[in-house]
Amino acid sequence: MNTTTSTLAAFTLACSLLTPALAQNHADHASHGSAVPAVAPATASAAAATPGAVMTAGEITRVDKRASKLTIRHEDIKNLDMPAMTMVFGLKDSTQVAQFNPGDKVRFHVQDEGGSLTITRIERAE
C-alpha cells in the first residue's frame, strides 16, 4: 500500500468514527440559555399546568402514531432558549397523537425531562 492510499484510508476511518459524534441529540439543547437557571422538575410540572405557560407556535410536518411523536417546525422555544428549527418531540399524553396531522398549525409547551424534550401541552392554533 503506498503512502497516498494509507493516508486516504486513515482519513476515511477518522471521518467515519467522528460522524456519530457530530450527530445532534436533544440533550445538546440544554446548553441553550445556560445563563438562565434550570427549572426544577416540580416547578417545571407546575409551569406546564399553569395557563400562563410559555406556548410556542409551530406546524406539524410528521406524525409517528406508533412512537407517539410529532415532528414540528417551530418558532423560538423561549422557555428553553432554543432557536427556531424542525425537531421531533415526544408527547407526555400519548393519546393526543391521534388528534394531529401533518400541516396542522399548533401551539405547544415543551419541557426538557431528563434530556428528552417532551410536549406537556399542545393545542391547535387559531
Side-chain angles (χ1 to χ4, degrees):
M1 195 184 281
N2 67 28
T3 317
T4 305
T5 305
S6 297
T7 303
L8 184 58
F11 179 75
T12 303
L13 177 62
C15 288
S16 67
L17 294 174
L18 179 63
T19 302
L22 297 175
Q24 182 179 31
N25 87 31
H26 297 301
D28 293 338
H29 296 295
S31 66
H32 291 292
S34 56
V36 177
V39 177
T43 306
S45 297
T50 305
V54 176
M55 300 293 278
T56 302
E59 180 179 351
I60 296 173
T61 60
R62 184 170 181 266
V63 176
D64 183 346
K65 292 184 180 185
R66 287 193 322 182
S68 298
K69 294 186 178 191
L70 300 174
T71 302
I72 302 176
R73 181 175 38 246
H74 62 80
E75 295 179 356
D76 293 353
I77 300 177
K78 295 186 185 341
N79 62 305
L80 298 178
D81 196 22
M82 184 182 298
M85 64 180 81
T86 301
M87 294 181 62
V88 177
F89 298 98
L91 288 162
K92 187 164 191 119
D93 179 359
S94 61
T95 63
Q96 291 182 309
V97 75
Q99 301 171 19
F100 298 101
N101 296 302
D104 288 348
K105 306 272 193 232
V106 294
R107 292 176 9 99
F108 64 99
H109 180 80
V110 64
Q111 293 178 198
D112 183 348
E113 296 185 347
S116 177
L117 298 179
T118 304
I119 294 174
T120 57
R121 185 170 156 201
I122 186 167
E123 59 192 36
R124 289 191 193 286
E126 297 178 16

